Amino acid sequence: MTNHKSLMYQEIREIPAAVQRLLDDSGPAIREAASAARALDPSVIVTVARGSSDHACTYLKYVAELTLGLPVASVGPSVSSIYGASLRLPKALCISVSQSGKSPDIVDLAGTARAGGAMTLAITNDAASPLAKAADRVIDIAAGPERSVAATKTFVTSAVAGLALLAEWQQDRALLAAIAALPERLAQACAADWGALGAVMATESSLFTIARGPSFAMSGEAALKFKETCQVHAENYSSAEVMHGPVSIVGDGFPVLAFAAHDAAEEAVAGIADAMAGKGARVFATTNKVKAATVLPAARTDHWLTDPLALIVSFYAMVEKVAIARGINPDAPRHLRKVTETV
């Protein structure tokens, strides 16, 4: 697979600079929002998002629950936009994530949460968008124009914006230092060679992606991108769930991609990866703790909570090449538009 300069290719390689710009330009807004959240001391966080933005929220859910001890719930936008229900959210923080900030159902639920007593925060690439105007506070992810339909740099910057918010909230110096070092680490992740998986997926029509903990969000994002850019049927499962039924699909050579960060779940994910390889699957894993699966190079970061972000960047660099190898333009997937406005 040769290098093609698609918009998606270019935007993936802009990710390190986009993250640096976010930290530089939106740092004050992040710190102010964190101070407000600390003063609120919420009893719950609710998130509002769709698509890749919802995967960013899944990542933030794990981070918040693991570090702050706060439960995080994703609320379906149709609760407000279709069913017209109100929500009782006193002493809650509502985080809405949308790169465009224009989808009516996301904006509607953010307004409903605010009316229900929540402090509302918008994470968006357009600080003048309807979503931004509906929120108490705004973090501009400062990703710059993203012209490829598939979200890459806006996904990563949205996730980093939320992560930085949580790190500032609890004044976690180790995590803040790791976030500051992310641009360099993500540049290394762009260069990681996942060609072994790419060569297999150039001709396969289905696969599983699996993970656990914060990396589960990246596994979900990867499954979406396979479907979106490669027209490959991909299903995302927790490695704790995949053996409870879905594994029945696995036959000889069935591809599986296991995301494993250098965290407390790494050995458990590696064990499931090897177990699936033992059933005939062709398993690729981002950990050297596997024995039967193929190891993919993982650009480790300075913190276990930032490791998953490097993994998804390496994945993006690979999946763009897979799309081209399959004869698909990754910038313009069929049936899709850059901004999807749902009610």
Side-chain angles (χ1 to χ4, degrees):
M1 290 180 287
T2 58
N3 262 348
H4 291 256
K5 301 300 186 288
S6 67
L7 293 174
M8 185 178 178
Y9 174 96
Q10 295 170 33
E11 288 165 0
I12 292 164
R13 279 147 188 83
E14 290 171 13
I15 289 172
V19 170
Q20 188 65 64
R21 188 165 54 248
L22 163 71
L23 298 176
D24 291 342
D25 296 354
S26 295
I30 291 170
R31 289 187 285 274
E32 289 171 11
S35 178
R38 196 182 310 116
L40 176 66
D41 190 22
S43 56
V44 66
I45 298 173
V46 296
T47 61
V48 183
R50 291 199 186 280
S52 288
S53 295
D54 200 30
H55 296 143
C57 288
T58 298
Y59 172 66
L60 299 180
K61 167 185 171 68
Y62 277 102
V63 175
E65 291 175 348
L66 290 169
T67 62
L68 292 170
L70 271 178
V72 180
S74 172
V75 180
S78 63
V79 165
S80 176
S81 63
I82 296 294
Y83 295 99
S86 58
L87 294 170
R88 297 191 300 274
L89 294 170
K91 206 170 172 56
L93 172 63
C94 175
I95 302 175
S96 302
V97 182
S98 168
Q99 64 90 14
S100 71
K102 294 178 180 178
S103 190
D105 55 349
I106 303 296
V107 176
D108 192 58
L109 184 54
T112 296
R114 191 178 190 182
M119 184 178 86
T120 54
L121 170 67
I123 297 177
T124 178
N125 202 31
D126 183 355
S129 65
L131 179 62
K133 293 175 182 176
D136 295 311
R137 294 183 177 273
V138 180
I139 296 175
D140 184 348
I141 61 175
E146 188 176 60
R147 294 176 290 166
S148 178
V149 168
T152 54
K153 64 177 180 174
T154 55
F155 170 81
V156 175
T157 48
S158 294
V160 173
L163 179 65
L165 168 78
L166 298 174
E168 290 283 1
W169 181 344
Q170 60 186 327
Q171 293 290 285
D172 186 329
R173 296 304 170 191
L175 183 53
L176 287 168
I179 292 169
L182 264 178
E184 180 181 351
R185 300 293 181 263
L186 297 183
Q188 295 167 359
C190 279
D193 183 5
W194 286 24
L197 172 60
V200 169
M201 293 313 302
T203 56
E204 291 287 344
S205 60
S206 184
L207 88 158
F208 284 166
T209 61
I210 64 172
R212 203 164 182 183
S215 295
F216 182 62
M218 309 308 155
S219 179
E221 171 66 2
L224 174 62
K225 286 297 183 288
F226 266 125
K227 287 178 275 198
E228 190 176 38
T229 65
C230 301
Q231 295 169 20
V232 167
H233 180 248
E235 293 293 336
N236 171 43
Y237 291 101
S238 163
S239 60
E241 295 289 342
V242 71
M243 304 299 279
H244 286 250
V247 71
S248 181
I249 291 176
V250 171
D252 288 344
F254 185 88
V256 177
L257 170 56
F259 285 87
H262 188 47
D263 64 10
E266 184 176 10
E267 290 194 7
V269 174
I272 294 298
D274 282 340
M276 295 185 78
K279 298 181 186 303
R282 189 163 185 177
V283 185
F284 298 84
T286 64
T287 172
N288 59 12
K289 295 185 181 296
V290 293
K291 297 177 181 178
T294 299
V295 177
L296 293 176
R300 295 304 188 203
T301 65
D302 298 332
H303 199 287
W304 61 277
L305 286 172
T306 51
D307 273 0
L309 297 168
L311 296 180
I312 199 62
V313 170
S314 297
F315 169 83
Y316 284 154
M318 179 274 302
V319 82
E320 183 267 350
K321 295 181 176 68
V322 172
I324 291 170
R326 295 174 70 90
I328 298 168
N329 179 1
D331 296 332
R334 66 183 184 185
H335 312 317
L336 299 179
R337 297 182 300 170
K338 182 59 183 173
V339 178
T340 303
E341 297 184 6
T342 50
V343 176

